[in-house]
Amino acid sequence: MSSATPRKAFITGITGQDGSYLAELLLGKGYEVHGLVRRTSMFNTGRIIHLFQDPHEKEVRLHLHYGDMLDAAGLSGLINKIRPDEVYHLAAQSHVRVSFEIPSYTCEVVGMGTASLLEAIHQSGLQARYYQASSSEMYGAVAEVPQTERTPFRPRSPYAAAKLMSYWLVNTYREAYGLYAVNGILFNHESPRRGETFVTRKITRAFANILAGRQEKVYLGNLEAKRDWGYAAEYVEGMWRMLQQEKPDDYVLATGETHTVREFLDECCRLVDLDPEKVVAIDPRYFRAAEVDLLLGDPSKAKRELGWEPKTSFSALVRLMLAADIAAVGLDPRRYGLEPSPDKAVVLGAV
């Protein structure tokens, strides 16, 4: 890769957990990175603030553009302006339980947003390679265990149904127009940058606040749901590898292990010596209208064809996230036998 003509990548959802890690990865590989940012009245760039460069400097390689997945004309304009070599579509209304409350918006942003972006690439005539952030939630009421690239989809939420629409749109554009487009079917992947309303981060942040005397309890829903949890910083490497193959294909990224929410909770309690009976309460509002009981991925195809496999264990992931949130409230994680987090973008309230 020539430093004079770096490859260009366009990332939707760059301010999210995955987008921030992916931007780091691509910048480290010498890419020029462009990111889509949705305009709000508050700054939402906490996860990527450490990547910013003064635009007056020479050779700035991170560029942010205001836009929205509901603005098809705007997306088309950006694709033609940036002319990316690779497009990573990560933006979404990604909270499953919330999708039951705002189903129309979820389906429009996730499903129609994907259609608009794919059509923009197609109409541009660019030979851009496209990555679609598909989801293990598409498996829903699972037809088999573990789930592979060939497992039938049975979605159980508006979010999952919208993601399934996007999945088939990718396949359609690949087959109809020869677009280099892939689906990354990623199982749950967490980190200190995970949104605070997602159950893993909700637990670690609450425990940090309890230790700091700022909170008494954490309110949760279904503790028996089983998920395949990995470390997000490793999963973005898999995304990139998918777009480096000779031919486009779809891949599952997962750890091949499943754990309940209760196990995640108990591991946190064990590490900081808290009694779950005293600090955890169940709130029916946090149960889904239709639950997905068990997700367990088989990443063997990704390992075989991409050379990708997860390296961070479930226990190490819990420790990493808990240490980051404990440090964010001003406590020393070493008091609890935890190593400080190496994550540069951990800012409580900004992630």
Side-chain angles (χ1 to χ4, degrees):
M1 186 182 301
S2 171
S3 58
T5 56
R7 292 181 64 80
K8 292 183 183 179
F10 178 51
I11 304 173
T12 72
I14 193 172
T15 59
Q17 170 188 250
D18 291 6
S20 66
Y21 283 121
L22 180 60
E24 283 180 351
L25 176 77
L26 296 179
L27 288 170
K29 292 182 179 293
Y31 280 66
E32 179 181 310
V33 176
H34 295 257
L36 185 70
V37 178
R38 187 162 56 92
R39 174 72 175 92
T40 69
S41 61
M42 298 179 66
F43 290 115
N44 61 351
T45 53
R47 295 183 180 95
I48 57 172
I49 194 69
H50 62 295
L51 300 176
F52 278 145
Q53 294 174 276
D54 188 321
H56 301 97
E57 294 179 7
K58 294 182 179 179
E59 299 183 1
V60 174
R61 290 190 293 112
L62 175 64
H63 308 271
L64 301 182
H65 307 266
Y66 283 120
D68 196 293
M69 294 310 302
L70 298 180
D71 180 9
L75 291 173
S76 180
L78 283 174
I79 290 295
N80 282 290
K81 175 184 177 182
I82 298 166
R83 304 191 68 79
D85 299 291
E86 297 173 5
V87 175
Y88 296 85
H89 180 31
L90 313 181
Q93 191 302 100
S94 59
H95 199 287
V96 177
R97 188 186 62 78
V98 171
S99 76
F100 285 99
E101 300 178 15
I102 49 172
S104 296
Y105 174 79
T106 299
C107 290
E108 194 170 0
V109 168
V110 176
M112 292 307 298
T114 299
S116 296
L117 189 54
L118 285 168
E119 183 63 11
I121 296 169
H122 168 55
Q123 291 293 338
S124 73
L126 293 173
Q127 299 299 309
R129 297 190 170 196
Y130 176 93
Y131 171 85
Q132 171 64 35
S134 289
S135 169
S136 60
E137 288 286 336
M138 299 187 306
Y139 294 117
V142 297
E144 63 182 6
V145 179
Q147 293 89 54
T148 73
E149 291 83 2
R150 296 181 177 275
T151 300
F153 299 118
R154 299 167 64 181
R156 300 201 77 197
S157 68
Y159 167 75
K163 278 292 186 181
L164 190 54
M165 175 183 173
S166 295
Y167 172 91
W168 286 117
L169 281 167
V170 167
N171 279 270
T172 298
Y173 273 73
R174 186 165 66 202
E175 295 171 7
Y177 302 123
L179 207 68
Y180 190 111
V182 307
N183 284 292
I185 308 173
L186 272 58
F187 281 66
N188 293 63
H189 44 291
E190 318 297 309
S191 77
R193 302 184 197 178
R194 189 60 144 150
E196 295 167 5
T197 59
F198 290 85
V199 67
T200 52
R201 182 78 198 292
K202 183 177 180 179
I203 291 171
T204 59
R205 183 168 182 253
F207 277 26
N209 282 328
I210 290 168
L211 293 173
R214 302 177 183 177
Q215 187 172 336
E216 292 184 359
K217 288 181 179 289
V218 57
Y219 293 89
L220 302 170
N222 181 11
L223 300 184
E224 307 311 321
K226 295 181 178 179
R227 294 292 184 268
D228 185 326
W229 278 306
Y231 182 29
E234 296 171 354
Y235 281 51
V236 297
E237 171 78 23
M239 297 177 188
W240 176 77
R241 291 191 182 200
M242 289 181 206
L243 295 194
Q244 312 314 308
Q245 304 306 298
E246 183 178 347
K247 296 180 180 179
D249 205 350
D250 303 330
Y251 296 91
V252 163
L253 298 186
T255 68
E257 294 182 10
T258 190
H259 297 272
T260 64
V261 175
R262 187 183 298 277
E263 286 178 80
F264 191 98
L265 179 68
D266 287 345
E267 180 68 5
C268 287
C269 286
R270 184 187 68 79
L271 289 169
V272 296
D273 195 25
L274 287 174
D275 182 352
E277 297 294 325
K278 295 181 179 179
V279 298
V280 179
I282 302 300
D283 186 336
R285 290 180 295 179
Y286 297 126
F287 283 84
R288 296 183 186 179
E291 183 59 82
V292 172
D293 297 315
L294 168 63
L295 292 176
L296 174 61
D298 178 359
S300 57
K301 180 181 176 182
K303 181 178 180 180
R304 182 175 65 253
E305 297 186 11
L306 304 179
W308 180 91
E309 58 183 325
K311 298 179 177 64
T312 303
S313 69
F314 172 74
S315 178
L317 177 62
V318 175
R319 296 175 72 91
L320 178 71
M321 294 179 66
L322 192 55
D325 273 323
I326 288 173
V329 298
L331 300 177
D332 187 348
R334 287 170 291 196
R335 283 180 53 187
Y336 306 94
L338 301 172
E339 289 297 318
S341 171
D343 199 318
K344 297 177 182 177
V346 177
V347 182
L348 195 65
V351 294

